[in-house]
Amino acid sequence: MLKWAKFFIALVLIPLCLGAVSALWKVLRATGHADTIWVAFLAGAACWVVVFLMLPKPMWVYVFGHELTHALYAWLFGGRVKKFKASAKGGQVVVTKNNFVISLAPYFFPLYAVLVVLVFLTGHLIWNWARYAVWFHLLLGAAYAFHLTLTWHILQGKQSDLTQHGYFFSAVIIFLGNAALLLVGIPLLTSRVGVLTALSLWLQTTETVLRRLAGFI
């Protein structure tokens, strides 16, 4: 698809982005009473931010997860991985199938946070880890902050993943990917709002944005 066409598609998706912001705010307000979860989650995020600011950045760990996410999404779309390389200075993965989702997935899919969830769920099913929930929320907060901070860090430089599809289109897709993840993840984490309710809110707020935009035209 040509870049100018992707630019137009990104422009059309802007109301969906605005709707996501409003929906996220409403979901967060509805889950504000989940104090035991948010305190641990934010504490974990804060701990990672201190590490990020004060200590050398573990770029090899991030790059490995970044390239592995490319590979996982390539497999998801039926492709194969022909080459995989990761180091602190950068990485490369060569796949037999590529599209904008595979290219941009590492910027919205927090692989290490998902791994924390999978490990805890497995442990909980086998050994009943309910008593370790606070540590789960702490580690999840740290892992998600790791994803956000280091993704922002590498975005300060030129990324071929973004230039390939255009910066505007890439930014919109990355934002929507992160928003969708949060609108599904927050309800599952806090159990205060249903996932379908959160997604319905997204549709409703997007409809409101479209109506307001139509009023200006």
Side-chain angles (χ1 to χ4, degrees), residues 7-217:
F7 180 89
F8 178 76
I9 291 172
L11 202 61
V12 172
L13 290 173
I14 289 297
L16 200 60
C17 295
L18 297 175
V21 173
S22 180
L24 277 170
W25 174 245
K26 291 180 179 181
V27 169
L28 285 171
R29 287 182 62 186
T31 59
H33 296 294
D35 297 334
T36 56
I37 294 172
W38 287 123
V39 170
F41 184 92
L42 293 175
C47 289
W48 166 252
V49 170
V50 171
V51 172
F52 176 78
L53 295 174
M54 303 295 292
L55 298 176
K57 297 171 179 58
M59 293 309 300
W60 182 85
V61 178
Y62 177 81
V63 171
F64 179 82
H66 183 102
E67 302 302 336
L68 182 56
T69 303
H70 281 309
L72 291 174
Y73 271 77
W75 286 328
L76 183 65
F77 280 93
R80 292 182 296 106
V81 177
K82 299 179 68 176
K83 181 180 180 181
F84 185 96
K85 183 178 75 171
S87 70
K89 295 182 179 179
Q92 181 187 28
V93 60
V94 178
V95 295
T96 58
K97 180 175 289 188
N98 197 16
N99 56 43
F100 72 89
V101 178
I102 295 172
S103 295
L104 301 177
Y107 303 96
F108 63 77
F109 185 77
L111 178 64
Y112 292 117
V114 172
L115 289 177
V116 169
V117 172
L118 292 177
V119 169
F120 180 79
L121 286 177
T122 302
H124 183 58
L125 288 172
I126 299 174
W127 298 293
N128 188 21
W129 278 3
R131 62 187 180 279
Y132 301 122
V134 65
W135 295 106
F136 162 63
H137 297 135
L138 188 80
L139 288 174
L140 184 61
Y144 190 63
F146 174 92
H147 164 73
L148 292 180
T149 53
L150 286 174
T151 297
W152 177 256
H153 177 71
I154 67 163
L155 284 174
Q156 306 309 303
K158 185 177 181 180
Q159 298 295 317
S160 59
D161 297 329
L162 277 64
T163 57
Q164 177 184 358
H165 301 285
Y167 283 106
F168 182 51
F169 176 82
S170 298
V172 168
I173 296 302
I174 291 169
F175 180 86
L176 288 175
N178 279 284
L181 178 84
L182 291 173
L183 285 169
V184 171
I186 292 174
L188 291 175
L189 179 66
T190 62
S191 300
R192 293 295 194 275
V193 178
V195 173
L196 292 180
T197 301
L199 296 178
S200 295
L201 274 173
W202 190 3
L203 291 176
Q204 293 169 15
T205 52
T206 301
E207 183 182 0
T208 301
V209 170
L210 289 172
R211 287 179 178 175
R212 289 178 179 176
L213 288 175
F216 288 113
I217 298 177

